[in-house]
Amino acid sequence: MVSKPTKEGKEKAITEPLVCAHCGESCPSDDITLGDKHFCCQGCKMVYEILNENDLCRYYELDEKAGVSLRGRRLEQYGYLDEPDIREQLLDFTDGQRSDVHFYLPQMHCASCIWLLENLYRLSEGIRRSTVNFPRKEVSITFDESKISLRQLAELLASIGYAPLIQLSDLKSEEEKRPVVDRRLYFQLGVAGFVFGNVMLLSFPEYLGLSGELVNPLFVSWVSWLNIALSTLVVFYSGRDYLRSAWVELKQGHLNIDAPISLGILALYGRSLYEILSHTGAGYLDSLAGLLFFLLVGKWFQQRTYYRLSFDRDYRSYFPIAASVREGDEERSLSANKLEPGMTVVLRHGELVPADGILLKGEALIDYSFVTGESEPVRKYTGDKLYAGGRQIGSTIEMTLTKKVSQSYLTSLWNESAFDKKQQSKTKFLADRIATYFTLTVLLLAGATLVYWLPRDLALAFNAFTAVLIVACPCAVALSVPFTFGNSLRKLAQRGFFLKNVHVLEQMSEITAIVFDKTGTLTSREEAEVHFHGQPLSLEEKILLYTLVNQSVHPVSKQIASWLLRAEEPGKMKALKIQQFRELTGMGLEGMVSGRQLHVGSQAFLRTVLGAQFAEGESEEGKSVYFSLDGHVRGYFSLNNRLRPHLEGILRKLKGRYALSLLSGDNERERVRFEQLFGAEATLRFRQKPKDKLAFVQKLQAEGHKVLMLGDGLNDAGALKQSDVGVVLADDTNNFTPASDGIMDARLFSLFPDFLPFARNNLRLVYAAYLLALLYNIIGLSFAMRAALTPVVAAILMPASSVSIVLFGVFSSNLLARHLFGRMEKQRFADPQKRRVKDRIDF
Amino acid sequence: MLIMLFLIMLSLILALGFLLAFFWAVRTGQFDDDYTPSVRILLDDDQPKRDNQKD
């Protein structure tokens, strides 16, 4: 293996890249080792040690890239879990000793994770059992509180790389703790399937014409009664959601898709009851049970998702669950909803300002990019106002609160009208729009049939009238949206685009305007385009510089560090020993590495440090950071917000087809750059406050546009909600995302222009399915209006139409996805190939 | 013909048994997570050797 390079060996050190034994990522330095294993950071080494000591190293054999890198991650603080009322609200169950709790672990990603998390009992004897729910990324743990406390449990999970994510919205009172899983659909489906099968079997004698002398009349009436009992169950249990929904809408004067369905159900049920009770026939009870069974299967298919993402988060999910409050000389954690004005709160590096307040002491550098969209952290001085939602960078600060969490500036955004409005009432969905015409047409046809037959034959007239209602039931119409859109939703999810429900796909097909947010959406929040101006740096100089900037958590230092890492081959860049390191807030860094004096910072900083030796360098647009070595300026870095890869191509595809706009909370510094990208027709607005963004979307909608908004931060929350389709672009879909209709994996952003045509073509597929359904209805109606619809014809025609619509929907949307996005290998969660497959489609 | 009735009732009771079994399965949460068990069954319980013993 590689030995620690000497000073001479450094220049030509072409070492093979070191790979961390825990997380599999390349190691920046080679001095963190255990035996012959190398690690990228102390965190990874610690995890490895814990697992090794407990014979859990199988973890690394089960799935490649099992470990989660701990580099740059701060260990979470779980002190607040010792607070009795927080503990009580988090526990699912406790009898004082044995307790149940479930944690959300965003880092869970592979089969190894499942294995390790279900073997937790080997790490602590207080843990009795742990069960993973992988799609929900949850682990349920039963533990003994006399042996391990809730806090220790959370810390144990964090120490092996699975830090539980606990948020303000997780705190639940006793009555809210009931399980949220809705299993009613399964029960309804089970009943419908049971009844469908039995009624069909019992109806066989009828199909085969085995009535009359062959079959005992007692037997026939017996079977009929049995059928009635079973179908009553299916209508009023399995079908009650349809009946109720139709009734509720009807009372308000609307017709939705459930109205013609209910009409069909009731017509089938009523006609069958009449026939059986009057001994004029056997009724259509088998068709009735079959209809409900297919409808429920469609509903289940539509709801079935393979991903668990939260689309309805509000500020409560973003804020921390607790803050450390200072009382005299003591510090204790207090849950966020108990914070009161006047309290003194201590904030450490990376912590969020929980509520509006005033800075008491410390050097505050607040990153508001998520809240306001400004990309640069803001320097604050004692006495300045701090707004909730900002993230402190650097040293520890103290602040006095002036407001409660729920009354802060940021949370007041949620009181906007856009958040009150129910999404559903905004537009009528396709199926419901069609339902109105459909129901009226059916009633008209049924009426006409009645009028035609009435003078001729009373019994036949009634027969034909109900037959029309039965056969025209929009089963096929009701099934085509769930299956076509439901399948497409899954196709999109495989390509990193997760939609809230099938209606979003429908809305997407009508989009005419696209609004982009800048910071975090089009530009990366962390990474920057870094250019060095001056004599190119040698590898040795780069290592010196890396050692210095690696010490600081300031975003600019991090950007330079990641640029240095990227510029060199993996494994070459390493941090050396540093002496006399100092970070001057708002100025720069200094330190001694290998006996050489380094300074990195603003122009003003270097001028004070170096005095006359400092030669002016011309500064371009963007931010400049100067670098000096042994008192001589080596040059300066210019930093620009880094654009998302492929942005130019994406915009070129969208230009001309949609009205494009850009909204940014930043200043106009980059206007020229974005004007070139967006073209002359686009609207670019800078210095936009969250409310301005909301107003802009409203203005577009007033002009008749259907708006798709692409944003990411809390500052976009209002605009996202107001848009017809609000999409969040997320680098990590497990992180906090504001309320939206869809979440897009940022790595697959280049597919975005194809998503909109995909949605439009999907709508065409549904129309085609409707045509197919219409064809069936015409055939069925031709029987019904002639009063010739026998139970056998109904029993064949109705399932046939349902099944063919389902097959058409699934196959056609599969073909469409393949045509637009190309063939793709199937991804499974724990598939070791998953990452490789992802990399492949990842450009 | 009475035997037919008897057989029908028998088959219905049998089917009802399956329905109740399905209800029980749903109620105990077996349909809540249909992915994790498929992985869990592939994971063995055997104790692998300690890393430093292997070397």
Side-chain angles (χ1 to χ4, degrees):
Chain A
M1 282 320 280
V2 192
S3 63
K4 198 172 173 177
T6 57
K7 206 174 177 231
E8 299 82 54
K10 224 179 307 165
E11 267 94 347
K12 50 176 182 180
I14 303 172
T15 56
E16 57 185 281
L18 286 179
V19 176
C20 178
H22 172 67
C23 67
E25 285 171 27
S26 67
C27 305
S29 77
D30 59 358
D31 48 6
I32 306 171
T33 52
L34 184 80
D36 61 348
K37 300 264 193 298
H38 286 262
F39 298 92
C40 67
C41 59
Q42 289 296 342
C44 285
K45 183 182 170 188
M46 206 174 73
V47 180
Y48 186 86
E49 277 174 332
I50 295 173
L51 298 186
N52 193 24
E53 271 164 33
N54 291 284
D55 293 330
L56 288 167
C57 276
R58 192 182 173 77
Y59 178 64
Y60 299 104
E61 295 161 18
L62 286 168
D63 214 333
E64 58 184 74
K65 287 212 169 189
V68 184
S69 174
L70 286 156
R71 195 169 355 150
R73 279 241 309 274
R74 168 179 75 90
L75 268 188
E76 298 275 336
Q77 304 293 322
Y78 289 105
Y80 56 82
L81 290 179
D82 282 339
E83 294 289 309
D85 57 321
I86 292 183
R87 178 189 146 264
E88 218 160 88
Q89 290 181 71
L90 277 176
L91 289 179
D92 296 325
F93 164 84
T94 181
D95 60 7
Q97 202 179 33
R98 198 199 84 139
S99 299
D100 291 336
V101 71
H102 68 272
F103 286 123
Y104 174 51
L105 311 176
Q107 277 83 22
M108 202 188 289
H109 68 281
C110 66
S112 287
C113 303
I114 299 176
W115 180 80
L116 179 61
L117 291 168
E118 297 203 333
N119 278 294
L120 281 180
Y121 67 91
R122 292 210 226 161
L123 289 176
S124 159
E125 58 169 339
I127 298 172
R128 293 204 188 158
R129 64 183 259 143
S130 48
T131 317
V132 171
N133 183 327
F134 190 82
R136 295 176 69 84
K137 298 198 174 186
E138 273 178 8
V139 60
S140 309
I141 301 173
T142 305
F143 64 106
D144 192 339
E145 279 198 278
S146 60
K147 292 194 180 120
I148 183 169
S149 74
L150 187 62
R151 174 185 176 172
Q152 287 165 336
L153 185 63
E155 282 168 353
L156 174 72
L157 283 168
S159 73
I160 53 169
Y162 300 93
L165 189 67
I166 304 170
Q167 290 158 331
L168 198 50
S169 50
D170 291 332
L171 291 187
K172 291 188 177 89
S173 59
E174 207 52 51
E175 52 273 21
E176 286 173 324
K177 271 187 195 170
R178 298 291 112 224
V180 277
V181 212
D182 187 14
R183 296 167 178 154
R184 195 172 62 188
L185 186 59
Y186 283 104
F187 290 123
Q188 290 179 333
L189 194 56
V191 169
F194 166 76
V195 172
F196 178 41
N198 282 296
V199 170
M200 201 163 63
L201 280 178
L202 293 178
S203 302
F204 253 101
E206 205 63 44
Y207 296 159
L208 303 174
L210 297 179
S211 49
E213 66 278 10
L214 259 172
V215 182
N216 191 328
L218 184 75
F219 173 74
V220 173
S221 79
W222 222 92
V223 166
S224 301
W225 279 108
L226 204 59
N227 274 345
I228 289 177
L230 287 172
S231 340
T232 310
L233 188 71
V234 93
V235 168
F236 294 104
Y237 181 67
S238 298
R240 76 173 168 187
D241 290 342
Y242 293 101
L243 298 176
R244 188 177 295 159
S245 142
W247 178 240
V248 167
E249 286 289 307
L250 199 64
K251 269 200 294 193
Q252 293 171 347
H254 301 300
L255 286 172
N256 61 0
I257 185 70
D258 293 337
I261 293 175
S262 302
L263 196 66
I265 292 174
L266 291 177
L268 271 168
Y269 187 61
R271 163 82 178 264
S272 308
L273 276 189
Y274 170 80
E275 280 192 5
I276 292 169
L277 294 178
S278 65
H279 300 286
T280 48
Y284 302 85
L285 292 174
D286 52 333
S287 297
L288 172 63
L291 168 73
L292 273 165
F293 180 67
F294 282 116
L295 284 173
L296 290 169
V297 169
K299 206 174 185 178
W300 170 77
F301 189 82
Q302 179 176 329
Q303 286 180 2
R304 204 173 139 82
T305 42
Y306 294 96
Y307 45 92
R308 180 233 183 190
L309 291 170
S310 194
F311 292 99
D312 298 305
R313 286 168 170 161
D314 63 8
Y315 66 91
R316 291 197 307 160
S317 323
Y318 180 59
F319 279 110
I321 195 167
S324 3
V325 172
R326 227 178 94 133
E327 285 163 348
D329 284 339
E330 277 184 31
E331 242 182 67
R332 65 187 192 96
S333 358
L334 199 65
S335 73
N337 42 24
K338 286 202 173 154
L339 294 175
E340 294 287 341
M343 287 181 170
T344 306
V345 170
V346 182
L347 292 180
R348 295 188 174 75
H349 168 65
E351 288 185 341
L352 285 176
V353 179
D356 296 357
I358 288 167
L359 181 63
L360 275 187
K361 68 176 183 197
E363 291 171 332
L365 189 66
I366 311 281
D367 174 12
Y368 278 119
S369 64
F370 206 63
V371 183
T372 62
E374 293 160 83
S375 51
E376 303 279 323
V378 190
R379 174 105 176 84
K380 293 282 179 187
Y381 300 91
T382 312
D384 279 352
K385 214 166 166 156
L386 302 182
Y387 289 106
R391 197 178 281 280
Q392 159 67 1
I393 296 168
S395 55
T396 305
I397 57 168
E398 282 183 25
M399 63 180 287
T400 321
L401 301 185
T402 52
K403 283 190 177 156
K404 291 182 74 144
V405 173
S406 56
Q407 289 159 358
S408 294
Y409 165 73
L410 181 68
T411 47
S412 70
L413 198 73
W414 263 265
N415 302 326
E416 278 292 322
S417 56
F419 290 94
D420 299 336
K421 223 181 293 173
K422 277 218 171 102
Q423 285 295 98
Q424 254 66 15
S425 62
K426 223 158 45 179
T427 2
K428 270 192 135 192
F429 296 115
L430 180 67
D432 291 338
R433 278 202 305 266
I434 289 203
T436 313
Y437 301 111
F438 195 91
T439 317
L440 294 179
T441 314
V442 169
L443 285 175
L444 207 72
L445 280 175
T449 317
L450 192 68
V451 169
Y452 175 81
W453 283 106
L454 215 49
R456 293 170 177 82
D457 186 332
L458 188 72
L460 262 184
F462 170 72
N463 185 325
F465 174 71
T466 46
V468 170
L469 294 183
I470 288 169
V471 86
C473 176
C475 185
V477 174
L479 284 175
S480 73
V481 168
F483 278 95
T484 314
F485 282 2
N487 191 47
S488 295
L489 231 55
R490 231 147 293 154
K491 293 282 145 198
L492 286 178
Q494 286 172 355
R495 288 159 181 90
F497 189 26
F498 307 93
L499 294 180
K500 189 172 163 182
N501 56 37
V502 291
H503 301 309
V504 180
L505 201 63
E506 205 180 307
Q507 299 262 307
M508 262 178 65
S509 60
E510 295 166 2
I511 293 302
T512 56
I514 303 175
V515 179
F516 293 93
D517 164 59
K518 187 180 78 79
T519 313
T521 309
L522 296 189
T523 60
S524 166
R525 207 180 283 287
E526 278 88 30
E527 284 177 59
E529 255 170 39
V530 181
H531 292 285
F532 183 70
H533 303 264
Q535 282 288 317
L537 296 169
S538 68
L539 179 63
E540 188 193 353
E541 286 171 322
K542 281 181 181 168
I543 289 172
L544 295 175
L545 181 62
Y546 179 76
T547 310
L548 181 68
V549 291
N550 204 24
Q551 296 289 323
S552 161
V553 291
H554 191 282
V556 170
S557 311
K558 282 185 162 177
Q559 282 162 356
I560 294 179
S562 85
W563 176 76
L564 287 166
L565 276 181
R566 275 200 312 270
E568 288 299 321
E569 281 168 42
K572 274 195 176 179
M573 202 45 68
K574 57 200 99 222
L576 306 174
K577 289 246 156 31
I578 188 161
Q579 287 157 341
Q580 298 164 20
F581 173 75
R582 261 203 325 152
E583 179 163 10
L584 298 112
T585 311
M587 302 289 281
L589 315 170
E590 61 175 25
M592 290 281 285
V593 185
S594 311
R596 306 190 71 173
Q597 181 75 38
L598 285 105
H599 288 99
V600 169
S602 68
Q603 213 168 347
F605 173 60
L606 287 214
R607 193 172 291 131
T608 17
V609 177
L610 306 175
Q613 295 171 28
F614 181 54
E616 290 279 333
E618 65 269 60
S619 174
E620 287 177 9
E621 58 154 329
K623 200 181 174 70
S624 309
V625 176
Y626 287 80
F627 170 42
S628 87
L629 194 61
D630 295 332
H632 297 284
V633 177
R634 278 291 283 110
Y636 68 93
F637 294 94
S638 66
L639 289 100
N640 253 321
N641 285 323
R642 187 185 178 84
L643 293 179
R644 287 242 181 251
H646 309 277
L647 181 62
E648 213 182 327
I650 292 167
L651 289 173
R652 203 181 316 120
K653 277 191 190 169
L654 296 173
K655 249 185 263 179
R657 292 200 287 170
Y658 303 95
L660 301 181
S661 337
L662 174 80
L663 301 179
S664 171
D666 245 343
N667 54 30
E668 308 223 355
R669 209 180 67 202
E670 292 180 296
R671 176 180 274 279
V672 181
R673 188 184 185 196
F674 281 100
E675 262 169 3
Q676 284 168 355
L677 276 170
F678 273 77
E681 283 128 68
T683 319
L684 306 181
R685 297 218 175 162
F686 294 88
R687 297 182 200 284
Q688 297 284 299
K689 293 208 163 56
K691 281 182 189 172
D692 301 333
K693 293 186 176 179
L694 178 68
F696 182 79
V697 173
Q698 277 169 336
K699 195 192 108 213
L700 279 180
Q701 285 172 329
E703 288 167 5
H705 279 299
K706 290 271 180 190
V707 182
L708 183 143
M709 164 100 193
L710 210 59
D712 79 316
L714 276 180
N715 57 323
D716 306 320
L720 285 170
K721 194 89 183 178
Q722 177 65 37
S723 324
D724 297 275
V725 178
V727 177
V728 170
L729 199 65
D731 288 301
D732 181 353
T733 43
N734 299 319
N735 283 349
F736 172 83
T737 51
S740 61
D741 300 310
I743 296 174
M744 199 188 301
D745 187 336
R747 288 168 301 177
L748 298 167
F749 185 41
S750 70
L751 291 175
F752 174 65
D754 291 330
F755 288 150
L756 294 169
F758 181 67
R760 248 198 329 273
N761 283 319
N762 252 295
L763 199 65
R764 293 201 185 115
L765 290 183
V766 170
Y767 284 134
Y770 282 172
L771 273 181
L772 201 63
L774 196 69
L775 203 70
Y776 277 113
N777 270 329
I778 289 170
I779 299 172
L781 283 171
S782 68
F783 278 100
M785 293 172 85
R786 285 188 283 124
L789 185 77
T790 57
V792 185
V793 174
I796 293 170
L797 197 62
M798 293 179 68
S801 74
S802 303
V803 169
S804 58
I805 292 291
V806 166
L807 292 181
F808 175 78
V810 172
F811 281 116
S812 62
S813 53
N814 273 353
L815 278 177
L816 180 65
R818 190 172 299 175
H819 172 69
L820 271 176
F821 307 121
R823 192 183 272 272
M824 200 172 123
E825 275 160 64
K826 205 174 173 192
Q827 280 184 33
R828 293 305 301 248
F829 280 117
D831 191 343
Q833 275 198 320
K834 181 183 169 187
R835 269 167 193 268
R836 266 179 274 146
V837 172
K838 264 205 142 160
D839 290 342
R840 197 174 312 147
I841 49 173
D842 220 347
F843 337 113
Chain B
M1 207 35 85
L2 222 60
I3 189 70
M4 286 292 286
L5 275 185
F6 176 73
L7 285 176
I8 285 173
M9 290 315 292
L10 208 65
S11 78
L12 209 61
I13 287 164
L14 200 67
L16 207 65
F18 283 114
L19 183 67
L20 291 178
F22 174 70
F23 279 5
W24 168 80
V26 173
R27 203 179 288 275
T28 50
Q30 297 187 31
F31 285 81
D32 296 351
D33 176 7
D34 52 9
Y35 178 74
T36 321
S38 71
V39 177
R40 193 177 292 140
I41 195 153
L42 298 173
L43 305 175
D44 300 327
D45 272 338
D46 59 326
Q47 305 257 335
K49 275 182 256 97
R50 212 175 270 208
D51 193 51
N52 41 19
Q53 290 167 357
K54 200 166 58 186
D55 290 354

